[in-house]
Amino acid sequence: MMKEKSISASKASLVFFLCQMISALDVPLDSKLLEELSQPPTITQQSPKDYIVDPRENIVIQCEAKGKPPPSFSWTRNGTHFDIDKDAQVTMKPNSGTLVVNIMNGVKAEAYEGVYQCTARNERGAAISNNIVIRPSRSPLWTKEKLEPNHVREGDSLVLNCRPPVGLPPPIIFWMDNAFQRLPQSERVSQGLNGDLYFSNVQPEDTREDYICYARFNHTQTIQQKQPISVKVFSMDSLNDTIAANLSDTDIYGAKPVTERPPVLLTPTGSTSNKVELRGNVLLLECIAAGLPTPVIRWIKEGGELPANRTFFENFKKTLKIIDVSEADSGNYKCTARNTLGSTHHVISVTVKAAPYWITAPRNLVLSPGEDGTLICRANGNPKPSISWLTNGVPIAIAPEDPSRKVDGDTIIFSAVQERSSAVYQCNASNEYGYLLANAFVNVLAEPPRILTPANKLYQVIADSPALIDCAYFGSPKPEIEWFRGVKGSILRGNEYVFHDNGTLEIPVAQKDSTGTYTCVARNKLGKTQNEVQLEVKDPTMIIKQPQYKVIQRSAQASFECVIKHDPTLIPTVIWLKDNNELPDDERFLVGKDNLTIMNVTDKDDGTYTCIVNTTLDSVSASAVLTVVAAPPTPAIIYARPNPPLDLELTGQLERSIELSWVPGEENNSPITNFVIEYEDGLHEPGVWHYQTEVPGSQTTVQLKLSPYVNYSFRVIAVNEIGRSQPSEPSEQYLTKSANPDENPSNVQGIGSEPDNLVITWESLKGFQSNGPGLQYKVSWRQKDVDDEWTSVVVANVSKYIVSGTPTFVPYEIKVQALNDLGYAPEPSEVIGHSGEDLPMVAPGNVQVHVINSTLAKVHWDPVPLKSVRGHLQGYKVYYWKVQSLSRRSKRHVEKKILTFRGNKTFGMLPGLEPYSSYKLNVRVVNGKGEGPASPDKVFKTPEGVPSPPSFLKITNPTLDSLTLEWGSPTHPNGVLTSYILKFQPINNTHELGPLVEIRIPANESSLILKNLNYSTRYKFYFNAQTSVGSGSQITEEAVTIMDEAMASRQVDIATQGWFIGLMCAVALLILILLIVCFIRRNKGGKYPVKEKEDAHADPEIQPMKEDDGTFGEYRSMSAWTGKKMDKEKKRKGSCASSSEADPVFTKAKSVRSDRSNFFKRSGDQYSNIRSETSYTRRKARQSSELRRASSVSASLCQEEKKSDKWIYRHGSRRHASEQQIMGLDEGSNSQAGHPPPFHQPLSCNSVRGSLARQHSSLPHRFSQTPDYSSDSEDTQSSNHRK
């Protein structure tokens, strides 16, 4: 069933409820919510308690706070009110409590030393800062002193005192020479913690006059120098020579040098000393000894061990350093100095005290009227700190009484609170070593439920995986959350759902039928609200055809398939990898939709190829190995994988090892390169084989290491260049004995999933790693930097444990140890984890905006303290939005824009701004949990820009000489409009542009009448607006002035007259006829070469005719008289004669009448100009010859005519027109010549029929034209031929 939460009287339930409310109100998820709710002040940023300032720079004392309404600020100095207005050197930043003290005008920083405290106040309470102690840094000069030279015997000890001046903070000491080179230090010569230089024993090389001590003051970046110290070492060689001369050899070699001596401590002095250090600081203990030979220092802790991981030795082991000390580090630390002559020691008694530190800091409390609650303030320290309470900065004992409040030591109990109970409480925990001050407000609100998750938000998951559906909510009292399936479905209950306290619904295993609408309902006593979200469950992506293992010869082609199946609504991307890296940049690798092809394979292509398929919701992969082998030298040799090994035998059985031997199988023409040994754990994973080891191919035995509590079986696989053999038969089984675990879980992590928990995870041990039955895990944790004992719990064989009730985002030391029925694994190593993150507490401060131009600005901010991030810093988000346009005062809703800057960045650019507008922005810090509070809204303005085009341009009321223009102002003026620019020019009928005219129009005008224009003229207009920055884009329009009415009427009358229409049609027809004639003349056939014919035959009149194809072969010409006679004969008879004695002239004319017309049309002009001077006798002879030729072919022409009857009928009308045209040409020729015209070339029936069938095709191509020039002289014939 769904977990139901209610507010009970018990403190545990109340605190849990309040923590939930704090996370919702203190840093609301919705910025709009923050703007609506009242909230007492909260200090978000302040200067450190001990604040050392540089006396050369302005003093900045920080104090930032948030609240609703925004708080006002005041200060106290040394316990009294600090009136800032009366001090001209002190200013307070706007909308902030930060003080800036200007010391650049000769004011000394010492004048502002003191204790400062800031108070932030609004109508709901007052928060106070820590006491901030302001002290300027000091770097005094060295006191003058007279330094005597140091004269030392060789082997004696020496201490060179530095005694630096007392500075604030203390200086850093180092020794150098005159050349500014650091003096070398060693086990013999070293610098102490007090800055003095110690010599355990001096040597002659220590003689020098420039031992100089330097003090560096980091705050003021100055270095002070002590006067050089001179050291002179006297050698004992001459004294030793004198002593040696008076003693025997035995005495000389049996005695030690007089300079050798046992160790003596130079610092610290005596046998014991005391040291007090504060918790969390660095403990430094020092022992420096004199002696010859140089002593060696050793450190121990009496009665205990030096803390591991926190202990370091420095200065050649003369200094013991323990970081982050705690009370457990108290005790006696003993240093021993030893050389060959003896030893000495010193015991330092260390006591670790502690300034107050929080156990439970008070947290903000949000209650609704009538509810109960508690504020808890628990701190620890050494000595135990005292707890005192204040309310609104006033001790609670003298503060106004509140009947709902009761103070009980470190706890304030509230009962039946009212709205006037809202206040800010301060808890002060102090002892002699320091104090802690925390503000926590009590805010009494009555708010109905609100759901902050966007409506209809879409969630997409893969089937069989968890689905988390959010329902972020807010309300006071805390609302109860219920989930429904669909809009009006039943409430969700049952084990198939998990209901989280933050409102999230979890479906552990989502199925396809889980798709649908889910409704979240939030209700408290003040109301109810609901929100619908959508869940889509997608089919998982699968590789249905995976790449397969390949063995490919060199220079061949390899191909891997990767066929996938995926949800149709998801778009997959396929990536191929080679050995887990990108494919080589080589054109031989061809990636297809479902495959990878490698052309011309080389040895470098050998490896593992992986196909990875990614969608926005899941990812799958499959791999295959490509083995490249040499091509076989001859086809007769067959290379193959080796046969499996035989006869596996186990010998030499021990608890943790065994020997395995085998007999190799056949190599199959490829030598075995290695053997792979695999094992099966029949006890834990029967049927699953694991890799054990591999040995070279020349080895047939191997010593195998075993794990306890495993039932082993082994098998061997042989490998050659071709591939792997089939596995051998399994060996006999061997069960090892149980034992303690040898190892602990790996990959131990601690990451909180909620602000108050710590989720500890680890990778469980495999079955064989358990080493015995009853595998469990001991999970231990403790808070880092807190003197807490380890908390441990033993869990079953799982991989996760959740620690509840943890503080927000604090480090924890974690360790996970394996154990079984026989005992524990070795002590595990510690890892550092963090409890869950919570939303950041503090907004970035000092937000500044620098406007670069009208569309770009740069924003700066100060980083928030890391402690207030309460999680892993991910970056900053800048929210910015347009408030209004400065050219239009009307406000309109504009969506906020968000820019994210990763990491600890403190500035960013804001692009895409609108010119001449007012903007607001705020900055928020982001951690893994979400966003922190917004900084105060920063207002900035962009300068003017050029305007957008006018919204419209209309041209109306055209007259003979004027046009009226109307326009709308630009949609985005981007500034103050100064004027409009109108340009226009006429356009003639050929679209050429005339001169351009420009007019400037005042910005307050919206129309214009243009006069003195030309009538019936088209004009093109260009129109744009202008600000002080420049002109914007222009819009164009065209319009025409009307023409004169009389002219328009005349044009209409002409255009509608019938005679005008007929004239135009006749012109078009004539043009068409001319085009046809030109086309026919261009495509007419070639003429016979007349000149060559006349040269070849002396008498062209009597040339024989060809009769093999039924045509008039070389028949040269026919006179117009002959043709005319044929036409008249046709009219008389009306048909072709059937007798062989029929008139040949008529027979021939009937067949060629149509083509004669075409021929005469082409060449009639040529022949009509010929004036024959030949005698009548010659013309008569020529006509007689033509009649004889016509008679010889009459029968052939009649036969062709019969075959053409159908064609004659279909095209009779067209032929009749041709005949009329021919006759007209004949008559014209006779009238011009005065004689019968020259004979024209006869045409065959086949040619006529073919030409007429194609109608307007190139009719003359099948005809020969041979005009007769026999009646003219030779010169006249040549001239006519040329024509």
Side-chain angles (χ1 to χ4, degrees):
M1 294 180 64
M2 183 177 179
K3 300 177 184 177
E4 296 183 356
K5 303 295 182 182
S6 62
I7 303 173
S8 68
S10 65
K11 292 184 179 179
S13 299
L14 179 62
V15 171
F16 177 79
F17 165 73
L18 295 175
C19 292
Q20 295 295 320
M21 293 301 296
I22 291 162
S23 64
L25 179 63
D26 190 30
V27 185
L29 298 177
D30 192 335
S31 59
K32 294 181 180 179
L33 186 64
L34 180 63
E35 297 174 359
E36 298 174 5
L37 299 178
S38 297
Q39 183 172 311
T42 301
I43 300 292
T44 60
Q45 193 170 356
Q46 57 184 315
S47 294
K49 296 178 182 178
D50 191 7
Y51 188 17
I52 300 175
V53 299
D54 190 336
R56 300 166 303 178
E57 297 179 355
N58 289 343
I59 303 174
V60 179
I61 312 175
Q62 287 187 329
C63 179
E64 303 290 343
K66 66 177 182 178
K68 183 67 177 181
S72 60
F73 297 89
S74 62
W75 284 86
T76 63
R77 177 181 176 187
N78 297 328
T80 61
H81 175 66
F82 184 30
D83 193 344
I84 300 169
D85 296 334
K86 293 183 179 180
D87 193 331
Q89 307 301 323
V90 181
T91 58
M92 184 183 295
K93 291 185 177 180
N95 302 319
S96 167
T98 298
L99 295 183
V100 179
V101 181
N102 186 358
I103 62 171
M104 298 302 182
N105 297 329
V107 179
K108 292 188 176 295
E110 288 79 2
Y112 290 92
E113 284 191 66
V115 180
Y116 293 79
Q117 189 173 43
C118 171
T119 301
R121 186 185 308 275
N122 69 8
E123 61 188 24
R124 292 219 159 218
I128 61 175
S129 70
N130 293 323
N131 285 328
I132 303 170
V133 180
I134 303 296
R135 295 185 296 169
S137 174
R138 297 182 178 88
S139 53
L141 299 176
W142 233 294
T143 57
K144 293 185 179 180
E145 57 181 328
K146 184 177 181 181
L147 300 177
E148 298 293 337
N150 292 275
H151 300 278
V152 193
R153 289 189 307 172
E154 180 183 358
D156 287 352
S157 62
L158 175 64
V159 179
L160 299 182
N161 296 318
C162 180
R163 300 190 187 96
V166 178
L168 185 67
I172 298 173
I173 306 301
F174 51 94
W175 289 81
M176 301 177 72
D177 57 15
N178 277 332
F180 297 100
Q181 299 297 317
R182 285 186 178 268
L183 295 176
Q185 298 189 23
S186 62
E187 291 183 345
R188 184 178 64 85
V189 182
S190 61
Q191 177 182 316
L193 294 176
N194 62 353
D196 294 345
L197 191 63
Y198 292 87
F199 295 79
S200 296
N201 52 81
V202 295
Q203 301 296 326
E205 60 266 22
D206 296 329
T207 298
R208 63 190 306 157
E209 297 181 350
D210 57 349
Y211 286 92
I212 306 173
C213 180
Y214 288 87
R216 184 175 67 208
F217 298 89
N218 282 344
H219 232 74
T220 57
Q221 298 179 351
T222 58
I223 297 177
Q224 305 288 353
Q225 172 184 339
K226 187 182 179 74
Q227 292 182 356
I229 302 175
S230 174
V231 174
K232 186 173 184 180
V233 179
F234 293 97
S235 174
M236 297 299 294
D237 291 343
S238 58
L239 180 60
N240 288 338
D241 292 342
T242 303
I243 295 175
N246 296 322
L247 297 175
S248 65
D249 292 344
T250 303
D251 292 335
I252 292 174
Y253 295 116
K256 295 181 180 179
V258 294
T259 56
E260 291 187 356
R261 61 187 185 281
V264 176
L265 287 174
L266 297 176
T267 184
T269 59
S271 60
T272 62
S273 60
N274 297 315
K275 173 79 171 181
V276 176
E277 191 57 77
L278 291 182
R279 178 181 181 272
N281 288 352
V282 177
L283 174 65
L284 294 173
L285 304 178
E286 181 181 57
C287 277
I288 300 177
L292 188 65
T294 302
V296 176
I297 305 297
R298 179 173 176 268
W299 291 89
I300 63 170
K301 182 181 182 183
E302 294 182 343
E305 297 291 334
L306 295 174
N309 301 327
R310 295 189 293 116
T311 301
F312 304 91
F313 297 100
E314 296 179 347
N315 199 16
F316 309 99
K317 295 190 177 181
K318 299 175 187 178
T319 303
L320 172 66
K321 178 180 178 181
I322 301 177
I323 64 174
D324 195 19
V325 296
S326 64
E327 288 87 339
D329 295 323
S330 297
N332 294 330
Y333 292 82
K334 180 179 180 180
C335 70
T336 302
R338 185 184 305 276
N339 68 5
T340 57
L341 299 183
S343 65
T344 186
H345 68 270
H346 183 92
V347 177
I348 305 174
S349 179
V350 175
T351 302
V352 179
K353 298 290 185 178
Y357 58 90
W358 291 118
I359 295 176
T360 303
R363 298 185 178 183
N364 295 334
L365 193 60
V366 178
L367 301 173
S368 62
E371 287 187 332
D372 302 336
T374 58
L375 284 180
I376 301 174
C377 176
R378 289 178 185 161
N380 201 0
N382 187 8
K384 183 77 174 177
S386 61
I387 303 294
S388 61
W389 288 95
L390 300 88
T391 177
N392 296 329
V394 178
I396 202 166
I398 61 175
E401 291 188 3
D402 185 350
S404 65
R405 177 183 69 212
K406 180 182 178 182
V407 180
D408 184 10
D410 60 4
T411 303
I412 300 179
I413 303 171
F414 297 92
S415 57
V417 296
Q418 300 301 319
E419 188 171 357
R420 64 176 179 273
S421 301
S422 297
V424 182
Y425 290 84
Q426 291 82 32
C427 173
N428 187 304
S430 60
N431 64 11
E432 60 186 282
Y433 296 107
Y435 73 93
L436 291 174
L437 179 67
N439 291 276
F441 63 68
V442 175
N443 198 11
V444 181
L445 294 173
E447 291 292 330
R450 307 183 192 191
I451 295 179
L452 308 180
T453 300
N456 293 316
K457 185 175 181 180
L458 176 62
Y459 295 87
Q460 295 180 327
V461 297
I462 293 295
D464 298 325
S465 63
L468 294 172
I469 308 174
D470 293 333
C471 182
Y473 62 91
F474 174 81
S476 179
K478 178 188 175 184
E480 296 180 356
I481 302 300
E482 293 178 330
W483 281 95
F484 296 85
R485 179 72 182 272
V487 180
K488 297 182 179 180
S490 59
I491 188 171
L492 297 182
R493 292 188 176 90
N495 296 328
E496 65 268 26
Y497 302 104
V498 178
F499 303 93
H500 294 270
D501 293 330
N502 63 356
T504 297
L505 170 66
E506 178 180 356
I507 306 175
V509 183
Q511 302 295 332
K512 289 288 287 185
D513 57 5
S514 301
T515 297
T517 301
Y518 290 79
T519 303
C520 166
V521 178
R523 58 166 55 91
N524 64 13
K525 63 183 182 180
L526 298 178
K528 182 184 79 169
T529 186
Q530 68 181 39
N531 186 41
E532 297 174 12
V533 294
Q534 308 296 325
L535 175 64
E536 291 183 358
V537 182
K538 307 292 187 179
D539 291 326
T541 304
M542 296 183 293
I543 301 178
I544 58 177
K545 194 168 185 181
Q546 300 185 354
Q548 301 296 320
Y549 172 79
K550 300 281 186 182
V551 177
I552 303 296
Q553 295 179 359
R554 297 188 192 101
S555 302
Q557 174 180 312
S559 181
F560 293 103
E561 288 188 296
C562 183
V563 181
I564 63 174
K565 179 182 178 183
H566 61 90
D567 191 284
T569 61
L570 299 178
I571 301 176
T573 58
V574 180
I575 302 173
W576 286 91
L577 303 178
K578 179 182 184 296
D579 298 328
N580 293 326
N581 295 311
E582 293 183 358
L583 291 177
D585 187 10
D586 192 333
E587 60 184 9
R588 297 182 300 109
F589 288 81
L590 306 177
V591 178
K593 178 182 178 182
D594 298 322
N595 57 33
L596 168 66
T597 303
I598 308 173
M599 310 296 293
N600 193 21
V601 171
T602 65
D603 291 335
K604 293 182 179 180
D605 300 331
D606 197 283
T608 301
Y609 291 83
T610 304
C611 167
I612 302 177
V613 184
N614 294 316
T615 69
T616 54
L617 299 180
D618 62 347
S619 176
V620 292
S621 63
S623 300
V625 176
L626 172 63
T627 301
V628 181
V629 298
T634 59
I637 300 177
I638 300 176
Y639 296 93
R641 304 178 187 183
N643 292 346
L646 309 170
D647 300 334
L648 271 66
E649 184 178 2
L650 298 176
T651 57
Q653 289 88 343
L654 299 175
E655 287 188 1
R656 293 294 184 102
S657 67
I658 198 169
E659 186 176 272
L660 172 66
S661 59
W662 62 89
V663 176
E666 289 292 332
E667 295 182 344
N668 294 330
N669 299 317
S670 181
I672 295 176
T673 57
N674 57 297
F675 292 98
V676 178
I677 294 89
E678 296 179 343
Y679 72 91
E680 176 195 26
D681 181 2
L683 191 61
H684 301 99
E685 295 179 296
V688 179
W689 290 90
H690 301 276
Y691 173 85
Q692 173 83 11
T693 187
E694 58 183 270
V695 296
S698 59
Q699 186 175 330
T700 58
T701 61
V702 64
Q703 193 76 19
L704 301 175
K705 294 182 179 180
L706 306 180
S707 297
Y709 195 56
V710 177
N711 192 12
Y712 283 99
S713 291
F714 300 96
R715 69 183 187 185
V716 182
I717 299 172
V719 182
N720 63 9
E721 286 189 351
I722 307 302
R724 298 159 61 100
S725 71
Q726 292 295 321
S728 66
E729 292 295 325
S731 69
E732 59 180 316
Q733 292 186 335
Y734 177 61
L735 178 64
T736 55
K737 294 181 179 180
S738 301
N740 292 6
D742 293 326
E743 53 188 309
N744 288 303
S746 60
N747 196 21
V748 178
Q749 294 181 332
I751 303 173
S753 61
E754 298 292 339
D756 59 348
N757 75 4
L758 172 67
V759 180
I760 302 174
T761 59
W762 60 90
E763 289 186 9
S764 302
L765 300 180
K766 304 295 182 184
F768 72 90
Q769 294 175 308
S770 64
N771 288 2
L775 177 63
Q776 292 180 303
Y777 300 100
K778 179 183 178 182
V779 184
S780 304
W781 67 93
R782 69 178 179 184
Q783 188 173 337
K784 192 175 183 296
D785 304 332
V786 176
D787 187 21
D788 286 348
E789 297 296 330
W790 286 96
T791 303
S792 301
V793 63
V794 176
V795 299
N797 188 11
V798 296
S799 61
K800 180 171 74 172
Y801 182 77
I802 300 177
V803 181
S804 301
T806 63
T808 301
F809 196 68
V810 296
Y812 276 84
E813 297 174 324
I814 303 168
K815 55 185 179 181
V816 180
Q817 186 177 22
L819 67 149
N820 60 19
D821 292 347
L822 278 77
Y824 286 87
E827 184 68 20
S829 59
E830 300 173 8
V831 299
I832 303 299
H834 285 82
S835 58
E837 299 182 63
D838 204 345
L839 296 174
M841 300 173 58
V842 178
N846 193 24
V847 178
Q848 300 293 332
V849 180
H850 171 61
V851 178
I852 297 175
N853 56 40
S854 61
T855 61
L856 182 66
K858 186 175 184 180
V859 58
H860 295 263
W861 62 88
D862 291 342
V864 301
L866 291 180
K867 289 185 178 180
S868 66
V869 176
R870 301 204 294 179
H872 297 285
L873 176 64
Q874 293 188 354
Y876 292 85
K877 283 188 176 181
V878 177
Y879 286 73
Y880 64 101
W881 63 97
K882 180 180 173 182
V883 178
Q884 68 177 17
S885 173
L886 297 179
S887 59
R888 298 182 179 180
R889 293 300 175 180
S890 60
K891 296 184 179 180
R892 60 188 182 96
H893 175 72
V894 178
E895 292 294 329
K896 292 185 178 180
K897 298 181 181 179
I898 304 174
L899 288 178
T900 303
F901 302 94
R902 300 293 179 187
N904 198 17
K905 198 171 183 180
T906 59
F907 67 91
M909 306 301 291
L910 305 181
L913 304 177
E914 294 186 14
Y916 204 53
S917 299
S918 176
Y919 279 84
K920 284 187 179 181
L921 66 77
N922 57 52
V923 187
R924 311 169 190 213
V925 66
V926 182
N927 63 12
K929 188 72 173 177
E931 300 175 9
S935 66
D937 290 348
K938 189 74 177 180
V939 179
F940 64 96
K941 298 177 180 179
T942 54
E944 290 190 66
V946 297
S948 64
S951 57
F952 67 88
L953 175 62
K954 295 192 301 184
I955 303 175
T956 59
N957 301 329
T959 66
L960 287 174
D961 61 348
S962 68
L963 292 171
T964 300
L965 280 68
E966 298 177 356
W967 60 86
S969 60
T971 306
H972 301 286
N974 296 339
V976 178
L977 296 182
T978 59
S979 62
Y980 291 101
I981 303 299
L982 173 65
K983 300 178 183 179
F984 62 94
Q985 56 190 149
I987 307 174
N988 62 16
N989 294 334
T990 59
H991 300 284
E992 294 178 351
L993 298 175
L996 188 66
V997 180
E998 179 175 330
I999 300 175
R1000 185 177 298 272
I1001 305 170
N1004 58 352
E1005 297 292 340
S1006 61
S1007 64
L1008 176 69
I1009 298 176
L1010 283 178
K1011 298 181 179 180
N1012 299 323
L1013 303 178
N1014 297 329
Y1015 69 87
S1016 186
T1017 302
R1018 178 175 295 276
Y1019 287 89
K1020 186 168 186 179
F1021 296 89
Y1022 312 87
F1023 194 66
N1024 63 319
Q1026 193 174 50
T1027 65
S1028 60
V1029 177
S1031 298
S1033 301
Q1034 64 185 13
I1035 58 175
T1036 62
E1037 191 64 69
E1038 293 185 8
V1040 182
T1041 57
I1042 66 174
M1043 65 177 62
D1044 182 73
E1045 296 180 0
M1047 180 180 292
S1049 175
R1050 286 196 300 272
Q1051 290 184 355
V1052 171
D1053 293 340
I1054 294 173
T1056 56
Q1057 294 300 312
W1059 63 266
F1060 179 77
I1061 297 174
L1063 177 62
M1064 292 296 103
C1065 292
V1067 170
L1069 181 61
L1070 288 174
I1071 293 173
L1072 178 62
I1073 293 172
L1074 287 175
L1075 290 175
I1076 294 174
V1077 171
C1078 292
F1079 179 77
I1080 294 174
R1081 288 182 61 85
R1082 182 179 177 183
N1083 293 280
K1084 68 184 178 179
K1087 300 177 183 179
Y1088 283 112
V1090 177
K1091 184 63 178 176
E1092 286 82 358
K1093 295 293 182 178
E1094 292 178 350
D1095 293 340
H1097 306 287
D1099 188 3
E1101 304 291 342
I1102 57 174
Q1103 293 299 320
M1105 292 190 307
K1106 295 181 180 179
E1107 298 180 354
D1108 54 350
D1109 59 354
T1111 63
F1112 299 95
E1114 293 296 324
Y1115 172 52
R1116 290 180 53 87
S1117 63
M1118 179 181 291
S1119 67
W1121 174 84
T1122 306
K1124 188 174 182 181
K1125 183 177 181 181
M1126 290 180 179
D1127 292 338
K1128 291 179 179 180
E1129 193 70 14
K1130 174 183 178 295
K1131 293 177 182 179
R1132 184 176 60 86
K1133 294 185 177 181
S1135 63
C1136 181
S1138 60
S1139 172
S1140 59
E1141 283 79 26
D1143 187 356
V1145 176
F1146 173 77
T1147 302
K1148 179 173 180 65
K1150 180 173 173 53
S1151 300
V1152 301
R1153 190 172 287 124
S1154 176
D1155 287 308
R1156 279 174 53 203
S1157 173
N1158 289 335
F1159 178 76
F1160 280 18
K1161 198 171 186 179
R1162 289 192 305 269
S1163 54
D1165 293 341
Q1166 174 185 353
Y1167 297 128
S1168 62
N1169 294 328
I1170 298 175
R1171 297 293 183 265
S1172 177
E1173 300 297 334
T1174 310
S1175 64
Y1176 173 76
T1177 304
R1178 186 169 182 174
R1179 286 199 301 272
K1180 186 176 180 180
R1182 185 166 60 249
Q1183 293 172 358
S1184 300
S1185 177
E1186 288 178 0
L1187 291 175
R1188 287 193 301 270
R1189 291 173 196 154
S1191 298
S1192 65
V1193 295
S1194 60
S1196 176
L1197 287 174
C1198 289
Q1199 184 67 25
E1200 291 300 322
E1201 181 67 14
K1202 292 177 182 179
K1203 293 179 181 180
S1204 303
D1205 285 342
K1206 184 177 180 180
W1207 171 77
I1208 293 169
Y1209 175 79
R1210 185 185 307 128
H1211 300 284
S1213 60
R1214 184 177 301 172
R1215 185 179 61 186
H1216 178 73
S1218 299
E1219 291 172 355
Q1220 295 298 325
Q1221 186 176 9
I1222 292 172
M1223 293 305 296
L1225 289 173
D1226 286 349
E1227 294 172 357
S1229 297
N1230 287 333
S1231 63
Q1232 289 179 7
H1235 302 284
F1239 289 9
H1240 291 74
Q1241 179 186 2
L1243 303 174
S1244 69
C1245 290
N1246 287 335
S1247 298
V1248 173
R1249 183 171 62 250
S1251 298
L1252 293 178
R1254 289 188 296 274
Q1255 299 180 14
H1256 299 292
S1257 298
S1258 56
L1259 200 61
H1261 276 252
R1262 297 181 181 268
F1263 306 146
S1264 298
Q1265 300 177 1
T1266 311
D1268 181 62
Y1269 301 115
S1270 56
S1271 61
D1272 299 334
S1273 64
E1274 185 176 347
D1275 293 338
T1276 305
Q1277 292 177 12
S1278 298
S1279 175
N1280 290 332
H1281 184 70
R1282 284 194 300 271
K1283 291 182 179 180

